Amino acid sequence: MPDGRTHWVAKGIGGIGASKVEWDAEIYNEIENEMIAWRSVDDADVVNAGSVRFHAAPTGHGTYVRVVLNYNPPAGTVGASLAQLLGTEPGQLIKEELRRFKQLMETGEIATIDGQSSGRAEGAVGITPGSFKSEGASPDESQEG
Amino acid sequence: MKAACWNGKHNVQVMSVPDPSIINPRDAIVKITTTAICGSDLHLYDGYIPTMEKGDILGHEFMGEVVELGSAVKNLKKGDRVVVPFTIACGNCFFCKRDLWSACDNSNPNAATAEALYGFSGSGLFGYSHMMGGYAGGQAEYVRVPFADVGPLPIPDELDDEQVLFLSDIFPTGYMAAENCNIQPGDTIAVWGCGPVGQFAIKSAFLLGAERVIAIDDVAGRLQMAAEESNAETLNFKDQDIYDKLTEMTGGIGPDACIDAVGLEAHGTTLDAIYDRAKTALYMATDRSHALRQAIRVCRKGGTVSVPGVYGGFLDKFPFGAAFSKGLTFKMGQTNMHKYMRPLLKLIQDGKIDPSFVITHRLALNDAATGYSTFSSDKDGCIKVIMKPNLN
Ligand SMILES: NC(=O)c1ccc[n+]([C@@H]2O[C@H](COP(=O)([O-])OP(=O)(O)OC[C@H]3O[C@@H](n4cnc5c(N)ncnc54)[C@H](O)[C@@H]3O)[C@@H](O)[C@H]2O)c1
Ligand SMILES: [Zn+2]
Ligand SMILES: [Zn+2]
């Protein structure tokens, strides 16, 4: 977008109100290697402002990354907490994002099991009976090893 | 592919599931040649470990051939024979850099769950519940190995699978348990539990210079293995009072160090053990700590209690006063696998130890359910089960 603005869409929102919320944001303060601060502009669904600050942790324990986020709930949903809108508490969401960011910075990737194999996968079927009681997918007795 | 899946308590089923694929750049896919069932798997089998889901692929002791590599893995090539450590570790974080590999900060995608329970999360583990990452295990034909550039250990051709498979867990686990005892010349070490972990703790204690090792269990076949394979003195806890006997055997002061290689499913015949069983059955406590209590009581003043046996939750009637007043040192935890694999491989190559001595059962992967039920119920005849997918 022009003027260094960014457009944001928060998806997967349950609870009351909108199924997604959108806003434009501008960076109004930036100090290289130290901090970035943004605020929403015009009529954002969620009026918000925040900052990310970086500074060295003591005794060489890497870099602190601190996120501060302030927000007002969307118009028409007065009293709704962002937690209800996002389906989870924003502090926890941000903490998980920061954890993933740390993993990416330290290891080059984000630890995940999304997409791995399991007996729950589509098409998975039991080929031997369970040991005591077979609650799993249909066992074929004839193949018992 | 075929994989042994946890489908509930006492319910292991071999299922046909999709083949694994590379997900992250540091992944590898390993074609399993040999895999084993661990005493830790019995805690899952018996339903003691929370956050298992039906369909989870079991297994954290395995080895095989590298068949696929993520773009960031440069130190392995297709066709390499590797043993894979059961703890998944990144090699980059604060903990990995200090050799505390089982405390890796970056390998558990569900760290928040473990944090809620424990304050901080340990490393991800293969096939060991969603709280510990939910990674699919290696009792299967293929497995996805994350951080393959730091974990898997290449194995020279002249060593066969049975000689090196246990570098994946129980040999390093027994070794770290003994190393944690800070053994000095002349020391007597007592080991509770003569399962595979206990057997390796006994052998390792001797390798590290112990003068005597006293092995405790109530399973004759396992005590016999400890005596025959490692020259341990043995005590059957059904026949005698362990505190009295150990005190008598150590000139009245107790063993210099005690190793609890039993863990949270300890059984016993004394009042506290029966009380534990009742409490865990009623869900008023999660772990039965009979062996650990005994170890704390009998350990000599200023001695060390080393705990490789797994605990998951809360202990009842834990004799902390005894531990405090005797000034005991406690060492415990999941094994820092990556620290031990290379030096222990060297011991195998030098002929100092042949870890295959614990194997009693060799099965096809298809027989996984039988493997679990036999290992669980026939402690006397069955000490270690290994399985091979290509025997199917
Ligand atoms: N720390 C780690 O990284 C790590 C790794 C592997 C296994 N483990 C744990 O080590 C423990 C042992 O594993 P294993 O494969 O040898 O299991 P196992 O179940 O084969 O052996 C346990 C042994 O303890 C004996 N036992 C039970 N109650 C006892 C008591 N009161 N006193 C003395 N002996 C008693 C049993 O008869 C059995 O022989 C398990 O808890 C397992 O989860 C930990
Ligand atoms: Zn194990
Ligand atoms: Zn790490």
Side-chain angles (χ1 to χ4, degrees):
Chain A
M1 292 182 66
D3 319 327
R5 288 185 176 188
T6 47
H7 182 70
W8 295 81
V9 183
K11 281 184 297 190
I13 291 174
I16 12 171
S19 62
K20 63 175 186 180
V21 290
E22 300 187 48
W23 66 90
D24 291 344
E26 65 174 7
I27 290 174
Y28 69 91
N29 194 359
E30 182 170 4
I31 308 171
E32 205 180 313
N33 294 329
E34 276 184 40
M35 69 101 78
I36 303 166
W38 76 87
R39 62 188 165 210
S40 60
V41 293
D42 304 332
D43 37 270
D45 286 344
V46 179
V47 177
N48 67 87
S51 64
V52 189
R53 287 167 196 275
F54 306 88
H55 63 95
T59 59
H61 285 193
T63 305
Y64 279 134
V65 181
R66 280 183 205 279
V67 175
V68 176
L69 174 67
N70 295 299
Y71 61 89
N72 291 333
T77 59
V78 182
S81 71
L82 201 61
Q84 282 170 293
L85 285 163
L86 298 175
T88 181
E89 201 256 313
Q92 191 59 35
L93 272 184
I94 289 171
K95 195 171 171 198
E96 285 309 311
E97 281 313 318
L98 284 173
R99 191 199 304 279
R100 286 191 271 270
F101 179 68
K102 172 185 180 292
Q103 289 176 354
L104 192 61
M105 298 314 287
E106 288 188 351
T107 77
E109 60 186 47
I110 294 167
T112 183
I113 58 166
D114 287 352
Q116 78 172 7
S117 185
S118 89
R120 295 179 296 278
E122 209 183 300
V125 354
I127 51 178
T128 65
S131 61
F132 283 74
K133 45 189 185 253
S134 291
E135 303 169 16
S138 59
D140 176 355
E141 302 284 339
S142 65
Q143 285 190 29
E144 187 174 7
Chain B
M1 67 165 182
K2 288 177 183 176
C5 295
W6 185 92
N7 280 341
K9 183 178 169 181
H10 294 165
N11 188 350
V12 169
Q13 188 177 30
V14 177
M15 299 183 74
S16 167
V17 301
D19 287 350
S21 55
I22 300 281
I23 296 173
N24 269 334
R26 294 173 65 184
D27 289 355
I29 304 296
V30 170
K31 179 174 193 246
I32 309 289
T33 51
T34 314
T35 175
I37 305 177
C38 178
S40 299
D41 293 327
L42 292 183
H43 305 323
L44 307 174
Y45 188 67
D46 294 337
Y48 276 93
I49 306 289
T51 72
M52 287 295 289
E53 288 172 23
K54 285 188 180 189
D56 283 347
I57 299 173
L58 289 159
H60 59 267
E61 299 182 358
F62 53 86
M63 62 179 298
E65 180 194 331
V66 174
V67 291
E68 228 184 302
L69 288 166
S71 57
V73 187
K74 304 292 180 207
N75 59 321
L76 296 174
K77 55 185 189 317
K78 286 185 193 175
D80 280 354
R81 258 177 95 216
V82 293
V83 175
V84 179
F86 79 98
T87 53
I88 301 171
C90 76
N92 307 106
C93 71
F94 175 91
F95 300 95
C96 288
K97 284 186 180 153
R98 282 159 185 77
D99 256 352
L100 299 169
W101 300 86
S102 68
C104 175
D105 225 8
N106 291 322
S107 57
N108 182 357
N110 299 327
T113 312
E115 264 173 22
L117 190 58
Y118 297 146
F120 297 97
S121 172
S123 75
L125 305 175
F126 288 102
Y128 217 70
S129 87
H130 286 263
M131 189 170 79
M132 298 324 295
Y135 288 100
Q139 287 165 9
E141 288 180 292
Y142 296 90
V143 66
R144 166 193 169 228
V145 178
F147 300 124
D149 52 338
V150 297
L153 177 71
I155 299 297
D157 287 340
E158 60 271 20
L159 296 171
D160 61 39
D161 279 20
E162 294 191 2
Q163 287 174 286
V164 293
L165 173 63
F166 303 134
L167 287 170
S168 61
D169 178 353
I170 52 174
F171 181 20
T173 295
Y175 193 88
M176 183 168 116
E179 194 184 73
N180 277 342
C181 293
N182 187 24
I183 296 171
Q184 305 297 315
D187 274 3
T188 299
I189 313 298
V191 179
W192 277 254
C194 297
V197 170
Q199 300 290 342
F200 282 107
I202 294 165
K203 270 221 187 300
S204 303
F206 279 125
L207 283 169
L208 288 164
E211 179 147 328
R212 300 169 74 191
V213 178
I214 304 170
I216 303 150
D217 206 306
D218 67 339
V219 180
R222 293 178 171 216
L223 288 168
Q224 191 187 337
M225 180 182 272
E228 283 173 5
E229 293 290 339
S230 308
N231 272 321
E233 297 162 66
T234 59
L235 296 179
N236 188 323
F237 67 81
K238 284 240 175 80
D239 302 342
Q240 57 224 309
D241 184 284
I242 292 302
Y243 172 85
D244 288 349
K245 192 71 196 170
L246 281 176
T247 316
E248 183 192 309
M249 291 170 82
T250 52
I253 67 167
D256 299 288
C258 295
I259 296 177
D260 171 1
V262 179
L264 62 86
E265 293 188 63
H267 56 265
T269 48
T270 56
L271 190 62
D272 69 315
I274 291 159
Y275 184 79
D276 272 354
R277 193 174 271 279
K279 273 220 152 179
T280 50
L282 295 168
Y283 295 101
M284 291 162 72
T286 56
D287 299 0
R288 302 205 303 257
S289 56
H290 176 66
L292 182 57
R293 273 191 211 113
Q294 224 166 40
I296 291 170
R297 211 167 108 75
V298 74
C299 189
R300 78 150 162 78
K301 290 179 275 186
T304 298
V305 175
S306 162
V307 189
V310 162
Y311 290 86
F314 300 92
L315 305 189
D316 193 47
K317 301 268 184 298
F318 188 77
F320 205 72
F324 177 85
S325 69
K326 296 202 291 178
L328 299 182
T329 297
F330 282 85
K331 300 280 271 179
M332 63 193 84
Q334 300 284 1
T335 308
N336 294 312
M337 290 299 302
H338 303 53
K339 175 181 172 190
Y340 296 100
M341 291 173 78
R342 257 168 232 284
L344 297 188
L345 173 63
K346 178 89 175 28
L347 289 184
I348 297 170
Q349 283 176 303
D350 293 349
K352 298 253 165 42
I353 183 171
D354 179 355
S356 63
F357 76 95
V358 288
I359 303 171
T360 51
H361 287 63
R362 296 167 174 84
L363 303 180
L365 178 63
N366 268 358
D367 296 331
T370 312
Y372 273 85
S373 59
T374 309
F375 184 38
S376 168
S377 58
D378 176 18
K379 298 267 179 218
D380 200 40
C382 179
I383 298 178
K384 192 71 182 179
V385 179
I386 65 168
M387 301 187 291
K388 286 182 169 283
N390 69 4
L391 282 182
N392 283 340

